[in-house]
Amino acid sequence: MKKSIIAVAAIILLAALLPILGNSFIKQTINDRITELKTFGLETIKDETKSSYLSTSRHIEVTLKDPQKFVAYLNTFADQQPPAYINAMVNGVVLGVDIEYSNLPFAKAFEVNLYPLTLPNDVRASLSQNDPKFLTFLKNFLVSKGIMWHISYNSFSSNFDGYIKDINQKYTLKDGTKIDLRLIKALFKGNGTLVAPNMFSSTLKAFHLNVIQKEQTFYFTLEKFASSADFDSESTYVSEMNVANVDMILQGTANDSEVHLKDLKVYVSSDAQGKNADLNSHTSFDSFSIVSKSLNALLTKFKFDITANNLDKEKYKALRKLLSNNKNQQSLIANKELQQGIVDLISNGFVVKMTQFSLDDLTLDKQTKLNGFDITSEIRFAKDKNLAQKIKLSPLMVGSDIEFTSKISIANKFYSFLTRMSPMLGTIKSYAKEEKGNLVFDIKLKDSKATVNGKTLN
C-alpha cells in the first residue's frame, strides 16, 4: 500500500513539476537565440518576464549596437549586396519583442510579436527640425505597435506562421502633403529559422500608398500578391510569385505617367539532386500598359520560358559558390575567378532552350493594334576540355563548339514598327519568308556557319 501511495505521489509531483520544467526548456531556447544574435551586433536593453504557474510572458527590447556587423550577418543570407543606405535605416532602431508560451513541455509553440519602437537616428534628427508634429505622430504610431509582425513558432518542428498587422493611416504633413497608407491582410508561413527559412510563403490582399502634394499626386497599389519559396540547398530550390494587379499613377508633374500590370507570374527553379543540374524560369503577364507624354502602349499576353539542362553539377555548384562569395568584391582576382568558373561550366557542355518568348498584341495610342511575335530557340554548348585554350588563342574558335537554332515568327506590322525604332532591322527582311501575314526567320548556326531560311548569312 505504501509503495502505491509513494508511486502516486511521485506521479503527482512529476505532473506538478512539468510546467516548471517546460518553462525552463523554452526559456533556455529563447536565451540561446538571443545570445546568438548578440554576436551579430544586437544588444538587449530591456528584458522583463512575467510568469504564472501555467504560462509565461516576456518583453524584450533590443537595439543594434553594431549595425555594420548585423548587416554583414544578414548579407550571408542574401544573393546581392545590401544598399549602402541600409546602415542608416537600422541605426538607432529599437525593436520590441513580446513572447508568450505555455509552461507545459508538450506545448511546442510560442507566440511572438515583433515591432519597431523607434525611428532610425537620421530620420528622427531630420523630422525634429523639419516637422516635429509628424515626428510625434510617428513616435505614437510605433509605440502603439502600429507596425507589428505576429509569429506562432513551433520550437520542435521549426514550423511557423503569422501575419503583419493591418495598417490604415492618413496624415497631413506640415507643408500640406496628404499621405494615405494601407496594408491589408499580409499573411505568411514557413519552416526553419526566421531570418533564412527553408520554406516560406506569403500572401497580401492589398497595399495602397497615395501621396497628394499641392497639385501633384502619386498613387501606387498592389493587389492579391502571393509568393512561395522552397530551399533544399543553394543549388536546389523552387520560387514563384503571382500578382493580380499593380497600378502606379503620377499626375500634376512634367513627367506624368501611368503604369498598369495585370496577372504577373514568375517561376524559377534549380535542381541539382540528380547527375546533372537543371534550371527553369517562367515569366508571364496578362497585360502591361504604360501611358506617358512620349508613349502610350498596351502589351497583352506575354510569355517567356527558358531552361538550362545537363549542366555539370559540381561546376554549377562551384560557380554559384563563387558568385555568393564574391558578391561584395569587385577585385580583378574575383572577376578572373568568376570568368574561369563560367568557362569551366561551359566546357562541360549543356543545353539552353527558350521554349517560348511571345507577345499576342501591342496596341499603340489606344487605336493601332499590332499582332505580336513568337520565338523559340535552342543553343547547345559541346563538351570541350580545350575551351579555355581556344578562348585565349582566338574567341572565334569557340564557334565550332556552339550549335544554335531559332524560329522567329513576327507579324508584318509589328516588324515595321520595330524597324522604325531601329532601322538596322530592316536589312534582314530579305532573308524572311511570309506565312499567314507573318515574317518567319528559321535561323541555324553550326560549324561556325549561319543560315536564315536556308540562305547563308553574309
Side-chain angles (χ1 to χ4, degrees):
M1 179 64 72
K2 289 183 178 180
K3 290 183 178 180
S4 298
I5 294 173
I6 293 173
V8 171
I11 293 173
I12 294 173
L13 178 61
L14 180 60
L17 289 174
L18 281 177
I20 299 174
L21 296 174
N23 176 284
S24 177
F25 169 75
I26 297 180
K27 181 180 179 180
Q28 188 60 46
T29 300
I30 295 171
N31 287 342
D32 290 345
R33 188 58 179 160
I34 292 174
T35 301
E36 180 185 358
L37 291 176
K38 282 183 177 180
T39 64
F40 301 115
L42 285 172
E43 179 182 25
T44 303
I45 58 177
K46 183 183 286 189
D47 191 345
E48 300 174 342
T49 300
K50 294 181 180 179
S51 184
S52 65
Y53 179 64
L54 292 177
S55 63
T56 298
S57 63
R58 187 171 177 180
H59 174 74
I60 305 170
E61 293 181 11
V62 297
T63 188
L64 289 177
K65 184 178 181 180
D66 190 337
Q68 291 185 342
K69 186 181 289 186
F70 186 71
V71 171
Y73 164 66
L74 294 180
N75 193 35
T76 61
F77 302 105
D79 290 331
Q80 297 181 348
Q81 183 178 3
Y85 55 79
I86 192 69
N87 282 3
M89 290 178 61
V90 298
N91 190 25
V93 172
V94 174
L95 184 68
V97 185
D98 292 333
I99 307 172
E100 293 186 3
Y101 55 89
S102 170
N103 293 338
L104 297 173
F106 50 79
K108 304 172 185 177
F110 52 90
E111 307 294 317
V112 182
N113 289 331
L114 301 172
Y115 45 92
L117 287 168
T118 63
L119 296 165
N121 289 337
D122 289 354
V123 176
R124 287 203 305 269
S126 177
L127 290 178
S128 179
Q129 291 184 348
N130 300 318
D131 198 336
K133 288 186 177 180
F134 186 46
L135 175 59
T136 301
F137 167 79
L138 289 177
K139 284 181 177 179
N140 293 333
F141 175 66
L142 294 181
V143 169
S144 66
K145 303 179 184 179
I147 301 176
M148 187 186 77
W149 294 264
H150 175 82
I151 305 166
S152 178
Y153 192 86
N154 188 311
S155 58
F156 286 4
S157 66
S158 296
N159 290 330
F160 62 87
D161 60 66
Y163 60 85
I164 301 176
K165 182 180 177 181
D166 284 0
I167 298 174
N168 188 355
Q169 293 292 324
K170 295 181 180 181
Y171 190 83
T172 301
L173 298 176
K174 182 180 178 179
D175 63 0
T177 300
K178 296 180 180 180
I179 301 175
D180 183 358
L181 175 65
R182 284 173 286 161
L183 179 74
I184 305 170
K185 289 188 178 180
L187 310 175
F188 58 86
K189 61 181 179 179
N191 173 269
T193 64
L194 298 177
V195 176
N198 304 319
M199 292 171 34
F200 186 82
S201 64
S202 63
T203 60
L204 173 65
K205 183 177 181 180
F207 172 80
H208 300 285
L209 175 62
N210 194 17
V211 180
I212 301 175
Q213 185 179 43
K214 296 180 180 179
E215 302 300 322
Q216 299 179 356
T217 300
F218 173 77
Y219 174 81
F220 176 85
T221 183
L222 182 151
E223 296 178 328
K224 295 182 180 179
F225 169 90
S227 70
S228 65
D230 187 346
F231 294 94
D232 183 71
S233 68
E234 286 189 355
S235 52
T236 299
Y237 57 85
V238 176
S239 178
E240 58 184 313
M241 178 187 71
N242 298 311
V243 182
N245 294 293
V246 177
D247 301 298
M248 186 171 66
I249 301 173
L250 181 63
Q251 295 178 335
T253 72
N255 300 304
D256 285 1
S257 59
E258 292 186 25
V259 176
H260 304 280
L261 177 64
K262 292 185 180 297
D263 196 21
L264 171 67
K265 297 181 179 181
V266 179
Y267 172 90
V268 179
S269 71
S270 172
D271 185 357
Q273 292 180 320
K275 182 179 178 181
N276 298 310
D278 299 308
L279 303 175
N280 291 276
S281 175
H282 165 86
T283 304
S284 66
F285 58 75
D286 186 68
S287 65
F288 173 78
S289 67
I290 179 168
V291 179
S292 66
K293 290 185 177 180
S294 59
L295 180 65
N296 186 335
L298 169 64
L299 292 78
T300 58
K301 305 294 183 183
F302 171 85
K303 292 183 180 180
F304 180 68
D305 296 329
I306 189 167
T307 65
N309 303 110
N310 299 323
L311 293 97
D312 183 278
K313 182 167 63 174
E314 298 308 319
K315 299 298 183 183
Y316 170 62
K317 288 182 176 181
L319 179 59
R320 283 194 60 88
K321 187 174 182 180
L322 281 171
L323 290 169
S324 177
N325 292 341
N326 295 321
K327 59 178 175 283
N328 298 325
Q329 302 178 23
Q330 300 297 327
S331 68
L332 181 61
I333 294 176
N335 288 334
K336 283 185 176 180
E337 289 178 344
L338 289 175
Q339 291 171 10
Q340 186 59 50
I342 294 171
V343 171
D344 288 344
L345 181 64
I346 295 176
S347 65
N348 280 274
F350 62 93
V351 181
V352 177
K353 293 182 181 180
M354 188 169 68
T355 55
Q356 186 170 20
F357 178 34
S358 64
L359 177 71
D360 275 13
D361 302 297
L362 169 65
T363 303
L364 299 172
D365 301 321
K366 297 183 179 180
Q367 55 185 3
T368 304
K369 187 174 183 178
L370 308 175
N371 292 332
F373 58 85
D374 191 350
I375 302 172
T376 60
S377 299
E378 178 179 308
I379 182 168
R380 291 180 174 271
F381 295 94
K383 190 171 184 178
D384 187 350
K385 62 181 181 180
N386 298 317
L387 180 64
Q389 187 64 27
K390 286 182 177 180
I391 293 175
K392 289 181 180 179
L393 293 174
S394 172
L396 294 177
M397 296 177 65
V398 179
S400 60
D401 291 330
I402 299 174
E403 287 188 17
F404 174 75
T405 59
S406 180
K407 184 173 182 179
I408 302 173
S409 178
I410 183 169
N412 263 301
K413 291 183 178 180
F414 191 87
Y415 181 80
S416 298
F417 165 73
L418 293 178
T419 55
R420 288 198 299 271
M421 297 178 64
S422 178
M424 285 292 293
L425 290 174
T427 60
I428 65 172
K429 188 175 182 180
S430 60
Y431 291 91
K433 60 182 179 182
E434 292 201 31
E435 294 180 358
K436 299 179 181 179
N438 296 325
L439 294 177
V440 177
F441 300 86
D442 194 349
I443 304 171
K444 294 182 180 181
L445 172 64
K446 187 175 182 179
D447 298 327
S448 300
K449 297 179 181 179
T451 62
V452 180
N453 293 325
K455 300 177 182 177
T456 302
L457 191 63
N458 295 323

